[in-house]
Coordinates of all heavy atoms in Angstrom, one line a residue:
M1 N -200.9 -85.3 162.2 CA -201.0 -84.0 161.7 C -202.3 -83.9 161.0 O -202.8 -84.7 160.3 CB -199.9 -83.7 160.6 CG -200.2 -82.6 159.7 SD -199.0 -82.2 158.4 CE -198.5 -83.8 157.7
S2 N -203.0 -82.8 161.3 CA -204.3 -82.5 160.6 C -204.3 -81.0 160.2 O -203.7 -80.2 160.9 CB -205.5 -82.8 161.4 OG -205.6 -81.9 162.5
I3 N -204.8 -80.7 159.1 CA -205.0 -79.4 158.6 C -206.4 -79.1 158.2 O -207.0 -80.0 157.6 CB -204.0 -79.2 157.3 CG1 -202.6 -79.4 157.7 CG2 -204.2 -77.8 156.7 CD1 -201.6 -79.3 156.6
T4 N -207.0 -78.0 158.5 CA -208.3 -77.7 158.2 C -208.4 -77.0 156.8 O -207.6 -76.1 156.5 CB -208.9 -76.7 159.3 OG1 -208.8 -77.3 160.5 CG2 -210.4 -76.4 159.0
I5 N -209.3 -77.5 156.0 CA -209.5 -76.9 154.7 C -210.7 -76.0 154.6 O -211.7 -76.3 155.2 CB -209.7 -78.1 153.7 CG1 -208.6 -79.1 153.7 CG2 -209.9 -77.5 152.2 CD1 -207.3 -78.6 153.4
K6 N -210.5 -74.8 154.0 CA -211.6 -73.9 153.8 C -211.7 -73.4 152.4 O -210.6 -73.3 151.8 CB -211.4 -72.6 154.8 CG -211.5 -73.0 156.2 CD -211.4 -71.7 157.1 CE -211.5 -72.1 158.5 NZ -211.5 -70.9 159.4
R7 N -212.8 -73.2 151.9 CA -213.0 -72.8 150.5 C -212.8 -71.2 150.4 O -213.1 -70.5 151.3 CB -214.5 -73.1 150.1 CG -214.8 -72.7 148.7 CD -216.2 -73.0 148.3 NE -216.4 -74.4 148.4 CZ -217.4 -75.0 147.9 NH1 -218.3 -74.4 147.2 NH2 -217.5 -76.3 148.0
S8 N -212.2 -70.9 149.3 CA -212.0 -69.5 149.0 C -212.1 -69.2 147.5 O -211.8 -70.1 146.7 CB -210.6 -69.1 149.5 OG -210.2 -67.8 149.1
N9 N -212.5 -68.0 147.1 CA -212.6 -67.6 145.7 C -211.3 -67.1 145.2 O -211.1 -66.7 144.1 CB -213.7 -66.7 145.5 CG -215.1 -67.3 145.6 OD1 -215.2 -68.5 145.4 ND2 -216.0 -66.6 146.1
E10 N -210.3 -66.9 146.1 CA -209.0 -66.4 145.8 C -208.0 -67.5 145.4 O -208.2 -68.6 145.9 CB -208.4 -65.6 147.0 CG -209.3 -64.4 147.4 CD -208.7 -63.7 148.5 OE1 -207.5 -63.7 148.8 OE2 -209.5 -63.0 149.3
D11 N -207.0 -67.2 144.6 CA -206.0 -68.2 144.3 C -204.9 -68.2 145.3 O -203.8 -67.8 145.0 CB -205.4 -67.9 142.9 CG -206.5 -68.1 141.8 OD1 -207.4 -68.9 142.0 OD2 -206.3 -67.5 140.7
V12 N -205.3 -68.5 146.6 CA -204.3 -68.5 147.7 C -204.5 -69.7 148.5 O -205.6 -70.2 148.7 CB -204.6 -67.2 148.6 CG1 -203.7 -67.3 149.8 CG2 -204.4 -65.9 147.8
I13 N -203.4 -70.4 148.9 CA -203.4 -71.5 149.7 C -202.7 -71.1 151.0 O -201.5 -70.6 151.0 CB -202.7 -72.7 149.1 CG1 -203.4 -73.2 147.9 CG2 -202.6 -73.9 150.1 CD1 -202.6 -74.3 147.1
F14 N -203.3 -71.2 152.2 CA -202.7 -70.8 153.4 C -202.1 -72.1 154.0 O -202.8 -73.1 154.1 CB -203.8 -70.3 154.4 CG -204.3 -68.9 153.9 CD1 -205.5 -68.9 153.1 CD2 -203.7 -67.8 154.2 CE1 -205.9 -67.6 152.7 CE2 -204.2 -66.5 153.8 CZ -205.3 -66.5 153.0
L15 N -200.9 -72.0 154.5 CA -200.2 -73.2 155.1 C -199.7 -72.8 156.5 O -199.3 -71.6 156.7 CB -199.0 -73.6 154.2 CG -199.3 -74.0 152.8 CD1 -198.0 -74.3 152.1 CD2 -200.1 -75.3 152.8
P16 N -199.7 -73.7 157.4 CA -199.2 -73.4 158.7 C -197.7 -73.1 158.6 O -197.0 -73.6 157.7 CB -199.4 -74.7 159.5 CG -200.3 -75.5 158.7 CD -200.2 -75.1 157.3
A17 N -197.2 -72.2 159.5 CA -195.8 -71.8 159.5 C -194.8 -73.0 159.5 O -193.8 -72.9 158.8 CB -195.6 -70.8 160.6
W18 N -195.2 -74.0 160.3 CA -194.2 -75.1 160.4 C -194.1 -75.9 159.1 O -193.1 -76.3 158.7 CB -194.6 -76.1 161.6 CG -196.0 -76.7 161.4 CD1 -197.2 -76.2 161.9 CD2 -196.3 -77.9 160.7 NE1 -198.2 -77.0 161.5 CE2 -197.7 -78.1 160.8 CE3 -195.6 -78.8 159.9 CZ2 -198.4 -79.1 160.2 CZ3 -196.3 -79.8 159.4 CH2 -197.6 -80.0 159.5
L19 N -195.2 -76.0 158.3 CA -195.2 -76.6 157.1 C -194.5 -75.8 156.0 O -193.7 -76.3 155.2 CB -196.6 -77.0 156.6 CG -196.8 -77.7 155.3 CD1 -196.0 -79.0 155.3 CD2 -198.2 -78.0 155.0
M20 N -194.7 -74.5 156.1 CA -193.9 -73.6 155.2 C -192.4 -73.8 155.4 O -191.6 -73.8 154.5 CB -194.4 -72.2 155.3 CG -195.7 -71.9 154.8 SD -196.3 -70.2 154.9 CE -195.0 -69.3 154.0
S21 N -192.0 -73.9 156.7 CA -190.6 -74.0 157.0 C -190.1 -75.3 156.5 O -189.0 -75.4 155.8 CB -190.5 -74.0 158.5 OG -189.1 -74.2 158.9
I22 N -190.8 -76.4 156.6 CA -190.4 -77.7 156.1 C -190.2 -77.7 154.6 O -189.3 -78.3 154.0 CB -191.4 -78.9 156.5 CG1 -191.3 -79.1 158.0 CG2 -191.1 -80.1 155.7 CD1 -192.4 -80.0 158.6
L23 N -191.2 -77.0 153.9 CA -191.1 -76.9 152.4 C -190.2 -75.8 151.9 O -190.1 -75.7 150.7 CB -192.6 -76.7 151.9 CG -193.6 -77.8 152.2 CD1 -195.0 -77.4 151.8 CD2 -193.2 -79.1 151.6
D24 N -189.6 -75.1 152.8 CA -188.7 -74.0 152.5 C -189.4 -73.0 151.6 O -188.9 -72.5 150.6 CB -187.4 -74.5 151.8 CG -186.4 -73.5 151.7 OD1 -186.3 -72.6 152.6 OD2 -185.5 -73.5 150.7
L25 N -190.6 -72.6 152.0 CA -191.4 -71.6 151.4 C -191.5 -70.4 152.3 O -191.3 -70.5 153.5 CB -192.9 -72.1 151.2 CG -193.0 -73.3 150.2 CD1 -194.5 -73.8 150.2 CD2 -192.6 -72.9 148.8
S26 N -191.6 -69.2 151.7 CA -191.8 -68.0 152.5 C -193.1 -67.3 152.0 O -193.7 -67.6 151.0 CB -190.6 -67.1 152.2 OG -190.4 -66.8 150.9
E27 N -193.5 -66.3 152.8 CA -194.7 -65.5 152.5 C -194.6 -65.0 151.1 O -193.6 -64.4 150.7 CB -194.8 -64.4 153.5 CG -196.1 -63.6 153.4 CD -197.2 -64.3 154.1 OE1 -196.9 -65.2 155.0 OE2 -198.3 -64.0 153.8
G28 N -195.6 -65.3 150.3 CA -195.7 -64.8 148.9 C -195.1 -65.7 147.9 O -195.1 -65.5 146.7
S29 N -194.5 -66.9 148.3 CA -194.0 -67.9 147.4 C -195.1 -68.3 146.5 O -196.2 -68.5 146.9 CB -193.5 -69.1 148.1 OG -192.3 -68.8 148.9
Q30 N -194.8 -68.5 145.2 CA -195.7 -69.0 144.2 C -195.5 -70.4 143.9 O -194.3 -70.8 143.7 CB -195.7 -68.2 143.0 CG -196.2 -66.7 143.2 CD -196.2 -66.0 141.8 OE1 -195.5 -66.3 140.9 NE2 -197.1 -65.0 141.8
V31 N -196.5 -71.3 144.0 CA -196.4 -72.7 143.7 C -197.5 -73.1 142.7 O -198.5 -72.4 142.5 CB -196.6 -73.5 145.0 CG1 -195.5 -73.2 146.0 CG2 -197.9 -73.3 145.7
K32 N -197.2 -74.2 142.0 CA -198.2 -74.8 141.1 C -198.8 -75.9 141.8 O -198.2 -76.8 142.4 CB -197.4 -75.3 139.9 CG -198.3 -76.0 138.9 CD -199.0 -75.1 138.0 CE -199.8 -75.9 136.9 NZ -200.9 -75.1 136.4
A33 N -200.2 -75.9 141.9 CA -200.9 -77.0 142.6 C -201.1 -78.1 141.5 O -201.7 -77.8 140.4 CB -202.2 -76.4 143.1
I34 N -200.7 -79.3 141.8 CA -200.8 -80.4 140.9 C -201.7 -81.5 141.6 O -201.4 -81.9 142.7 CB -199.4 -81.0 140.6 CG1 -198.5 -79.9 140.0 CG2 -199.6 -82.2 139.7 CD1 -197.1 -80.2 140.0
I35 N -202.8 -81.8 141.0 CA -203.7 -82.8 141.5 C -203.5 -84.1 140.8 O -203.6 -84.2 139.6 CB -205.2 -82.3 141.4 CG1 -205.3 -81.0 142.1 CG2 -206.1 -83.4 141.9 CD1 -206.6 -80.3 141.8
E36 N -203.1 -85.2 141.6 CA -202.9 -86.5 141.1 C -203.8 -87.5 141.9 O -203.5 -87.7 143.1 CB -201.5 -86.9 141.2 CG -200.5 -86.1 140.3 CD -199.1 -86.5 140.5 OE1 -198.7 -87.1 141.5 OE2 -198.3 -86.1 139.6
N37 N -204.8 -88.1 141.3 CA -205.7 -89.0 142.0 C -206.3 -88.2 143.2 O -207.0 -87.2 143.1 CB -205.0 -90.2 142.4 CG -204.5 -91.0 141.2 OD1 -205.2 -91.0 140.1 ND2 -203.4 -91.6 141.3
Q38 N -206.0 -88.7 144.4 CA -206.5 -88.1 145.6 C -205.5 -87.2 146.3 O -205.6 -86.9 147.5 CB -207.0 -89.2 146.6 CG -208.2 -90.0 146.0 CD -209.5 -89.4 146.3 OE1 -209.7 -88.7 147.4 NE2 -210.5 -89.6 145.5
S39 N -204.4 -86.9 145.7 CA -203.3 -86.2 146.3 C -203.1 -84.8 145.7 O -203.3 -84.6 144.5 CB -202.0 -87.0 146.1 OG -202.1 -88.2 146.7
L40 N -202.7 -83.9 146.5 CA -202.3 -82.5 146.1 C -200.8 -82.3 146.3 O -200.3 -82.6 147.4 CB -203.1 -81.5 146.9 CG -202.7 -80.0 146.7 CD1 -203.1 -79.6 145.3 CD2 -203.4 -79.2 147.7
R41 N -200.2 -82.0 145.2 CA -198.7 -81.7 145.2 C -198.5 -80.3 144.9 O -199.2 -79.7 144.2 CB -197.9 -82.6 144.2 CG -197.9 -84.0 144.5 CD -196.9 -84.8 143.6 NE -197.0 -84.5 142.2 CZ -195.9 -84.0 141.5 NH1 -194.8 -83.7 142.1 NH2 -196.0 -83.7 140.3
L42 N -197.5 -79.7 145.5 CA -197.1 -78.3 145.3 C -195.7 -78.3 144.6 O -194.8 -79.0 145.1 CB -197.1 -77.5 146.6 CG -198.4 -77.5 147.4 CD1 -198.2 -76.7 148.6 CD2 -199.5 -76.8 146.5
A43 N -195.6 -77.6 143.6 CA -194.3 -77.4 142.9 C -193.9 -75.9 142.8 O -194.8 -75.1 142.5 CB -194.2 -78.1 141.5
R44 N -192.7 -75.6 143.1 CA -192.3 -74.2 143.0 C -192.6 -73.7 141.6 O -192.2 -74.3 140.7 CB -190.9 -74.0 143.4 CG -190.6 -74.2 144.8 CD -189.1 -73.9 145.1 NE -188.8 -74.1 146.4 CZ -189.0 -73.3 147.4 NH1 -189.5 -72.1 147.1 NH2 -188.7 -73.5 148.7
L45 N -193.3 -72.6 141.5 CA -193.6 -72.1 140.2 C -192.4 -71.7 139.4 O -192.3 -71.9 138.2 CB -194.6 -70.9 140.3 CG -195.3 -70.4 139.0 CD1 -196.1 -71.5 138.4 CD2 -196.1 -69.2 139.3
D46 N -191.4 -71.2 140.0 CA -190.2 -70.8 139.3 C -189.5 -72.0 138.7 O -189.0 -72.0 137.6 CB -189.2 -70.0 140.2 CG -188.8 -70.7 141.5 OD1 -189.4 -71.7 141.8 OD2 -187.8 -70.3 142.1
Q47 N -189.5 -73.2 139.4 CA -188.9 -74.4 138.8 C -189.8 -74.9 137.7 O -189.3 -75.3 136.7 CB -188.8 -75.5 139.9 CG -187.8 -75.1 140.9 CD -187.7 -76.1 142.1 OE1 -188.6 -77.0 142.2 NE2 -186.7 -76.0 142.9
F48 N -191.1 -74.8 137.8 CA -192.0 -75.2 136.8 C -191.8 -74.4 135.5 O -191.7 -74.9 134.4 CB -193.5 -75.1 137.3 CG -194.5 -75.5 136.2 CD1 -194.7 -76.8 136.0 CD2 -195.2 -74.5 135.6 CE1 -195.7 -77.2 135.0 CE2 -196.2 -74.9 134.6 CZ -196.4 -76.3 134.4
L49 N -191.7 -73.0 135.7 CA -191.5 -72.1 134.5 C -190.1 -72.2 133.9 O -190.0 -71.8 132.8 CB -191.9 -70.7 135.0 CG -193.3 -70.4 135.3 CD1 -193.5 -69.0 135.8 CD2 -194.3 -70.7 134.2
N50 N -189.2 -72.8 134.6 CA -187.8 -72.9 134.1 C -187.9 -73.9 132.8 O -187.0 -73.8 132.0 CB -186.8 -73.5 135.1 CG -186.4 -72.4 136.0 OD1 -186.5 -71.2 135.7 ND2 -185.9 -72.8 137.2
L51 N -188.9 -74.7 132.8 CA -189.0 -75.6 131.6 C -189.1 -74.8 130.3 O -188.7 -75.2 129.3 CB -190.2 -76.5 131.7 CG -190.2 -77.6 132.7 CD1 -191.6 -78.3 132.8 CD2 -189.2 -78.6 132.3
R52 N -189.8 -73.6 130.5 CA -190.0 -72.7 129.3 C -188.7 -72.3 128.6 O -188.7 -72.3 127.4 CB -190.8 -71.5 129.8 CG -191.2 -70.6 128.7 CD -192.3 -71.4 127.9 NE -192.7 -70.6 126.7 CZ -192.6 -71.0 125.5 NH1 -192.1 -72.2 125.2 NH2 -193.0 -70.3 124.5
G53 N -187.7 -72.1 129.3 CA -186.4 -71.7 128.7 C -185.9 -72.9 127.9 O -185.4 -72.6 126.8
A54 N -185.9 -74.1 128.4 CA -185.4 -75.2 127.7 C -186.3 -75.6 126.5 O -185.8 -76.2 125.5 CB -185.3 -76.4 128.6
L55 N -187.6 -75.2 126.5 CA -188.5 -75.6 125.4 C -189.0 -74.3 124.7 O -190.1 -74.4 124.2 CB -189.6 -76.4 126.0 CG -189.2 -77.7 126.7 CD1 -190.3 -78.3 127.5 CD2 -188.6 -78.7 125.7
A56 N -188.2 -73.3 124.6 CA -188.7 -72.0 124.1 C -189.2 -72.1 122.7 O -190.1 -71.4 122.3 CB -187.5 -71.0 124.2
N57 N -188.6 -73.0 121.9 CA -189.1 -73.0 120.4 C -189.8 -74.4 120.1 O -189.7 -74.8 119.0 CB -187.8 -72.9 119.5 CG -187.2 -71.5 119.7 OD1 -187.9 -70.5 119.8 ND2 -185.9 -71.5 119.8
D58 N -190.5 -74.9 121.1 CA -191.1 -76.2 120.9 C -192.7 -76.0 120.9 O -193.3 -75.7 121.8 CB -190.8 -77.1 122.1 CG -191.3 -78.5 122.0 OD1 -192.3 -78.7 121.3 OD2 -190.6 -79.4 122.4
Q59 N -193.2 -76.1 119.6 CA -194.6 -75.8 119.4 C -195.5 -76.8 120.2 O -196.6 -76.4 120.7 CB -195.0 -75.9 117.9 CG -196.4 -75.5 117.6 CD -196.7 -74.1 118.1 OE1 -196.0 -73.1 117.8 NE2 -197.9 -73.9 118.7
A60 N -195.1 -78.0 120.3 CA -195.9 -79.0 121.1 C -196.0 -78.6 122.5 O -197.0 -78.8 123.2 CB -195.2 -80.4 120.9
F61 N -194.9 -78.1 123.1 CA -194.9 -77.6 124.5 C -195.9 -76.4 124.6 O -196.7 -76.4 125.5 CB -193.5 -77.2 124.9 CG -193.4 -76.7 126.3 CD1 -193.5 -77.5 127.4 CD2 -193.3 -75.3 126.6 CE1 -193.4 -77.0 128.7 CE2 -193.3 -74.8 127.8 CZ -193.3 -75.7 128.9
D62 N -195.8 -75.5 123.7 CA -196.7 -74.3 123.7 C -198.2 -74.8 123.6 O -199.0 -74.3 124.3 CB -196.4 -73.4 122.5 CG -195.1 -72.7 122.6 OD1 -194.6 -72.6 123.7 OD2 -194.6 -72.2 121.6
D63 N -198.5 -75.8 122.7 CA -199.8 -76.3 122.6 C -200.2 -76.9 123.9 O -201.4 -76.8 124.4 CB -199.9 -77.3 121.5 CG -199.7 -76.7 120.1 OD1 -199.8 -75.4 120.0 OD2 -199.4 -77.4 119.1
A64 N -199.4 -77.7 124.5 CA -199.7 -78.4 125.8 C -200.0 -77.4 126.9 O -200.9 -77.5 127.7 CB -198.6 -79.3 126.2
M65 N -199.2 -76.3 127.0 CA -199.3 -75.3 128.0 C -200.7 -74.6 127.8 O -201.4 -74.3 128.7 CB -198.2 -74.3 127.9 CG -196.9 -74.8 128.4 SD -196.9 -75.4 130.1 CE -197.0 -74.0 131.0
E66 N -201.1 -74.3 126.5 CA -202.3 -73.7 126.3 C -203.5 -74.6 126.7 O -204.5 -74.1 127.2 CB -202.5 -73.3 124.8 CG -201.6 -72.1 124.4 CD -201.6 -71.8 122.9 OE1 -202.6 -72.2 122.2 OE2 -200.7 -71.2 122.4
Q67 N -203.4 -75.9 126.4 CA -204.4 -76.9 126.7 C -204.5 -76.9 128.3 O -205.7 -77.0 128.8 CB -204.0 -78.2 126.2 CG -205.1 -79.3 126.5 CD -204.8 -80.6 125.9 OE1 -203.7 -80.8 125.2 NE2 -205.6 -81.6 126.1
M68 N -203.4 -77.0 129.0 CA -203.5 -77.0 130.5 C -204.1 -75.7 131.0 O -204.9 -75.8 131.9 CB -202.1 -77.1 131.0 CG -201.5 -78.5 130.9 SD -199.9 -78.8 131.8 CE -199.4 -77.3 132.4
E69 N -203.8 -74.6 130.4 CA -204.4 -73.3 130.9 C -205.9 -73.3 130.7 O -206.7 -72.9 131.5 CB -203.8 -72.1 130.2 CG -204.3 -70.8 130.6 CD -204.1 -70.5 132.1 OE1 -203.1 -71.0 132.7 OE2 -204.9 -69.7 132.6
R70 N -206.4 -73.8 129.5 CA -207.8 -73.9 129.2 C -208.5 -74.8 130.2 O -209.5 -74.5 130.8 CB -208.1 -74.3 127.8 CG -207.8 -73.2 126.8 CD -208.4 -73.6 125.4 NE -207.8 -74.9 124.9 CZ -206.7 -75.0 124.2 NH1 -206.0 -74.0 123.9 NH2 -206.3 -76.2 123.8
A71 N -207.9 -76.0 130.5 CA -208.5 -76.9 131.4 C -208.5 -76.3 132.8 O -209.4 -76.5 133.6 CB -207.6 -78.2 131.4
W72 N -207.4 -75.6 133.2 CA -207.4 -75.0 134.5 C -208.5 -74.0 134.7 O -209.1 -73.9 135.7 CB -206.0 -74.4 134.8 CG -205.8 -73.8 136.1 CD1 -205.9 -72.5 136.4 CD2 -205.6 -74.5 137.3 NE1 -205.7 -72.3 137.7 CE2 -205.5 -73.5 138.3 CE3 -205.5 -75.8 137.7 CZ2 -205.3 -73.8 139.7 CZ3 -205.3 -76.1 139.0 CH2 -205.2 -75.2 140.0
Q73 N -208.7 -73.2 133.7 CA -209.8 -72.2 133.7 C -211.2 -72.8 133.8 O -212.1 -72.2 134.4 CB -209.6 -71.2 132.5 CG -208.4 -70.4 132.5 CD -208.2 -69.5 133.7 OE1 -209.1 -69.0 134.3 NE2 -206.9 -69.4 134.1
Q74 N -211.4 -74.0 133.3 CA -212.7 -74.6 133.2 C -212.9 -75.5 134.4 O -214.0 -75.9 134.7 CB -212.8 -75.4 131.9 CG -212.8 -74.6 130.7 CD -212.8 -75.4 129.5 OE1 -212.7 -76.6 129.5 NE2 -212.8 -74.8 128.3
W75 N -211.9 -75.8 135.2 CA -212.0 -76.7 136.3 C -212.8 -76.1 137.5 O -212.7 -75.0 137.8 CB -210.6 -77.1 136.8 CG -210.6 -78.1 137.9 CD1 -210.8 -79.4 137.8 CD2 -210.3 -77.9 139.3 NE1 -210.7 -80.0 139.0 CE2 -210.4 -79.1 140.0 CE3 -209.9 -76.7 140.0 CZ2 -210.2 -79.2 141.3 CZ3 -209.7 -76.9 141.4 CH2 -209.8 -78.1 142.0
T76 N -213.7 -76.9 138.0 CA -214.5 -76.5 139.1 C -214.4 -77.6 140.2 O -214.2 -78.7 139.9 CB -216.0 -76.3 138.8 OG1 -216.5 -77.5 138.2 CG2 -216.1 -75.2 137.8
L77 N -214.6 -77.2 141.5 CA -214.5 -78.1 142.6 C -215.7 -79.0 142.5 O -216.8 -78.6 142.3 CB -214.6 -77.4 143.9 CG -213.3 -76.6 144.2 CD1 -213.5 -75.8 145.5 CD2 -212.1 -77.5 144.4
P78 N -215.5 -80.3 142.8 CA -216.6 -81.2 142.9 C -217.5 -80.8 144.1 O -217.0 -80.2 145.1 CB -216.0 -82.6 143.1 CG -214.5 -82.4 142.9 CD -214.2 -81.0 142.9
G79 N -218.8 -81.2 144.0 CA -219.7 -80.8 145.1 C -219.3 -81.4 146.5 O -219.7 -80.8 147.5
S80 N -218.6 -82.5 146.5 CA -218.2 -83.1 147.8 C -217.0 -82.5 148.5 O -216.7 -82.9 149.6 CB -218.0 -84.6 147.5 OG -216.9 -84.8 146.7
V81 N -216.4 -81.6 147.8 CA -215.2 -81.0 148.4 C -215.5 -79.9 149.4 O -216.4 -79.1 149.2 CB -214.2 -80.4 147.4 CG1 -213.1 -79.7 148.0 CG2 -213.7 -81.6 146.5

């Protein structure tokens, strides 16, 4: 399997239809992109945000989410990508 990567200024990831089917995703599904070492993982955003309900009154969780958001906004692609 090979997939071609293209750069975009939009927050959109295009996936082949067969891969969307395997991942049980549909057009417009929202996912969280998680980068670990040299791997890219996708997590359903609704499942990721469900943590918020369980941790609604947890200040440490709020602080961690704010830190992640700041890091995400400052992240840039390395020149080799």
Side-chain angles (χ1 to χ4, degrees):
M1 159 181 46
S2 71
I3 297 174
T4 302
I5 306 297
K6 294 185 178 183
R7 183 181 297 197
S8 172
N9 290 329
E10 299 178 26
D11 292 337
V12 176
I13 297 174
F14 294 93
L15 299 175
W18 61 266
L19 183 55
M20 288 180 62
S21 178
I22 290 170
L23 298 174
D24 194 27
L25 296 172
S26 58
E27 188 78 23
S29 293
Q30 293 186 331
V31 296
K32 174 78 174 162
I34 303 164
I35 300 168
E36 294 176 339
N37 299 322
Q38 297 270 331
S39 298
L40 173 66
R41 290 190 317 117
L42 301 177
R44 290 182 180 278
L45 192 58
D46 56 347
Q47 292 175 351
F48 180 76
L49 293 176
N50 283 340
L51 286 174
R52 187 68 184 119
L55 301 169
N57 297 316
D58 188 325
Q59 186 61 44
F61 179 78
D62 291 342
D63 294 343
M65 292 300 289
E66 288 176 21
Q67 182 179 0
M68 283 186 356
E69 180 62 25
R70 284 192 304 272
W72 182 256
Q73 295 302 324
Q74 294 172 0
W75 184 70
T76 58
L77 290 174
S80 64
V81 173

